[in-house]
Amino acid sequence: MTKYLKLLLGLSVILLLANCSEDDTEDPVTADDIIGTWNMTALRAVTSTSVDFFGLPVSTTATSVGSNFDYNVTFTENTYSSEGGYDLETTVEVPGEDTQTETFEFRNLTTEGTYRFEDGTLIFDDQFLNAGNDELLTGLDIGEPEVTISFNGADEVTMTQRQDISVTDPTSGATFDVEIDLTTTLRRQ
């Protein structure tokens, strides 16, 4: 069972970092509002995973909290790039098992891509946060992550996302159903 807990922990972290989104706001946000360079100041995600292992249903909840941020994101008119690093402490809870906590260090990360802005929502062409896991995400259809944004004053933006993903492990044939709720806070440089 420990092997499967580690698999669930790893999958939770990979899927968490593959996606990002943002909260609704009362004032309309325009594409011009996000243009500039931003420093990440907070990251929190709750990932719920359910899987059926040979007739035995297993569910987990992983809570991840970021720290030691040195991660910057730059938005232009329709592209973004990011670089830097952060730590991610992830706690996994499985009913009937001991709670497991592990800290992951992500350094020298870079990513770039395009996005579009529709009705106060950023829609990314691929993963927004890079955790050095591109090879693990190969062939995984994460869709186009949608990020709704809200401003906390002129220089801080909160991004939240809810995404549902279903992944089948080719070795065991087990299907993992994953729900991710992710909140990221960025401060304008």
Side-chain angles (χ1 to χ4, degrees):
M1 189 67 150
T2 301
K3 174 183 169 185
Y4 292 114
L5 288 176
K6 287 183 180 183
L7 177 64
L8 289 172
L9 175 64
L11 180 63
S12 295
V13 169
I14 289 168
L15 293 175
L16 157 73
L17 296 171
N19 302 284
C20 185
S21 79
E22 316 210 4
D23 290 330
D24 293 328
T25 182
E26 293 177 15
D27 296 328
V29 177
T30 67
D32 290 340
D33 294 331
I34 196 73
I35 293 174
T37 299
W38 301 80
N39 300 322
M40 183 182 291
T41 60
L43 177 113
R44 183 177 195 285
V46 177
T47 305
S48 300
T49 305
S50 61
V51 64
D52 187 317
F53 281 114
F54 308 106
L56 176 65
V58 177
S59 61
T60 66
T61 301
T63 302
S64 300
V65 178
S67 63
N68 299 320
F69 297 105
D70 181 22
Y71 193 83
N72 302 314
V73 182
T74 301
F75 292 95
T76 64
E77 186 174 320
N78 62 356
T79 65
Y80 68 91
S81 62
S82 62
E83 65 180 0
Y86 52 89
D87 295 341
L88 194 64
E89 181 178 275
T90 300
T91 301
V92 177
E93 298 176 27
V94 178
E97 298 288 329
D98 292 337
T99 299
Q100 295 184 12
T101 300
E102 190 167 347
T103 300
F104 300 90
E105 293 182 4
F106 299 101
R107 301 290 180 262
N108 302 314
L109 304 175
T110 60
T111 191
E112 59 185 31
T114 60
Y115 72 92
R116 63 186 187 279
F117 193 84
E118 295 177 6
D119 300 322
T121 301
L122 293 173
I123 302 171
F124 292 91
D125 63 346
D126 57 8
Q127 70 183 42
F128 174 59
L129 297 176
N130 179 327
N133 55 16
D134 290 340
E135 69 279 356
L136 297 174
L137 295 172
T138 301
L140 178 62
D141 182 11
I142 62 170
E144 293 181 315
E146 295 185 9
V147 176
T148 308
I149 60 176
S150 63
F151 281 86
N152 312 320
D155 294 328
E156 189 174 84
V157 64
T158 298
M159 303 168 41
T160 58
Q161 171 186 324
R162 168 66 183 250
Q163 188 157 356
D164 298 322
I165 301 171
S166 187
V167 179
T168 301
D169 177 28
T171 305
S172 69
T175 298
F176 296 81
D177 294 313
V178 182
E179 297 174 356
I180 302 169
D181 292 301
L182 175 65
T183 302
T184 306
T185 303
L186 303 173
R187 178 170 285 285
R188 191 181 302 274
Q189 273 189 347

